[in-house]
Amino acid sequence: MDQLYIAKTMTSQQGEQAHKVILVGVGGASCSGKTTVAKLLRNIIPNSVIIHQDDFAPPYEIIPYHPVHKVQDWDSAPTAIDWPKLQEFVKQVKQTGEIPPEHKSVDHLNKQTELPITKESEAHWKEVFSRLAEKSSDKVVWALVDGFLLYWDPVVVEHLDLKVFLRTPHDVLKERREQRATYITTEAETWTDAPNYWENIVWPAYVDGHKGIFTNDDVEHGNPREDVLPGLLLIEAQEHTMDDIVSMCCKHFVDYAERS
């Protein structure tokens, strides 16, 4: 696990100002709720930004076709993401604490899911993070990285200070995916799942991309492998309310920040 990256920036009035940049991974399968959780956390945590892994998918025309099912495969780990581009982007955010101004996300074009937490919970954690910021002599920037293949690439993982994984049962994921089915590509074009895309492409690719981080290669029931992803916070998403999930993440983050 990286130490906090401390970047020095110049301001015209204050001179040199130190920033602590904490990179947080929020991973999980397609339709696991990871992006919703990341957005809820961004709304709570001051000085936070989101990096959506989906924004780093290659252009439509170079997505390969599955050799058996003969449809474009957007989910196979080696080719679903432009890994060198994401690696460099994450590295830059860790150094600067800012999303580069030229970066344009397409997440807002996808269907947005509203799963609010209670006002009491939101207010509580906003107050906790506010007090945390007041105690720090440096400005702390939280960069939340959400993605369905977030822990596949070791270079990206190396940059992450904290790692969260939302595990959701197969049948729940399938139902959600089939209800959604349509996505926006990085060129702002619409992509609709082909028939049986979940069974033939999405789930097998998810298992293949994540089995190595769980004991016995069991993505549904295995424990996290500490030798592969040390310190991973595994959340069984269907066993908790959204309030619970957000609170578990916030407590994990605050504990880390207070130790660092």
Side-chain angles (χ1 to χ4, degrees):
M1 181 182 297
D2 288 352
Q3 297 294 316
L4 291 183
Y5 191 98
I6 300 180
K8 301 291 187 179
T9 61
M10 296 298 294
T11 65
S12 59
Q13 296 180 338
Q14 298 175 337
E16 198 172 70
Q17 182 182 19
H19 290 63
K20 291 182 180 179
V21 182
I22 302 177
L23 250 66
V24 180
V26 183
S30 173
C31 299
S32 63
K34 61 192 178 301
T35 304
T36 298
V37 170
K39 289 178 180 178
L40 290 169
L41 291 169
R42 180 190 57 190
N43 290 339
I44 289 171
I45 303 173
N47 302 317
S48 61
V49 296
I50 296 183
I51 302 169
H52 297 290
Q53 188 182 50
D54 287 355
D55 289 332
F56 297 86
Y60 179 90
E61 61 270 16
I62 66 172
I63 293 292
Y65 280 75
H66 193 280
V68 175
H69 302 293
K70 309 302 180 184
V71 296
Q72 281 186 298
D73 183 352
W74 292 82
D75 290 79
S76 179
T79 54
I81 301 296
D82 183 338
W83 292 108
K85 184 178 179 181
L86 178 59
Q87 292 164 3
E88 183 59 32
F89 192 89
V90 170
K91 178 182 177 181
Q92 182 176 352
V93 172
K94 190 154 193 178
Q95 290 174 340
T96 65
E98 297 178 349
I99 299 294
E102 67 273 14
H103 176 71
K104 303 299 181 185
S105 176
V106 297
D107 176 75
H108 65 286
L109 299 176
N110 282 305
K111 180 180 178 181
Q112 303 297 305
T113 302
E114 293 291 336
L115 283 175
I117 59 174
T118 63
K119 292 182 178 179
E120 292 78 10
S121 181
E122 182 178 0
H124 167 73
W125 286 111
K126 282 185 175 180
E127 175 63 23
V128 170
F129 277 96
S130 177
R131 292 198 304 266
L132 184 68
E134 290 173 358
K135 290 191 297 184
S136 176
S137 58
D138 301 318
K139 178 181 177 182
V140 178
V141 177
W142 300 80
L144 307 164
V145 191
D146 94 271
F148 71 109
L149 288 169
L150 191 55
Y151 303 123
W152 184 81
D153 181 75
V155 177
V156 172
V157 171
E158 182 65 23
H159 288 300
L160 301 175
D161 300 295
L162 291 165
K163 298 174 284 289
V164 177
F165 191 88
L166 301 182
R167 182 156 64 183
T168 306
H170 169 277
D171 292 350
V172 175
L173 294 171
K174 179 181 179 182
E175 181 181 1
R176 291 178 182 173
R177 179 78 183 211
E178 290 175 346
Q179 289 175 350
R180 184 175 179 180
T182 299
Y183 292 81
I184 305 299
T185 70
T186 51
E187 295 85 24
E189 299 290 335
T190 299
W191 154 265
T192 301
D193 285 352
N196 303 312
Y197 190 77
W198 168 267
E199 295 87 348
N200 293 336
I201 306 294
V202 179
W203 182 253
Y206 167 70
V207 172
D208 188 60
H210 293 85
K211 61 186 180 181
I213 69 177
F214 294 106
T215 56
N216 302 318
D217 291 346
D218 186 351
V219 299
E220 291 209 86
H221 307 291
N223 294 320
R225 288 182 52 184
E226 189 69 17
D227 60 321
V228 177
L229 282 182
L232 177 69
L233 174 62
L234 174 64
I235 299 177
E236 304 290 357
Q238 286 303 105
E239 298 178 7
H240 301 280
T241 66
M242 189 57 70
D243 270 46
D244 292 337
I245 293 172
V246 169
S247 292
M248 293 166 71
C249 291
C250 287
K251 184 179 185 305
H252 189 57
F253 301 171
V254 170
D255 289 345
Y256 174 82
E258 290 181 335
R259 294 195 310 269
S260 302

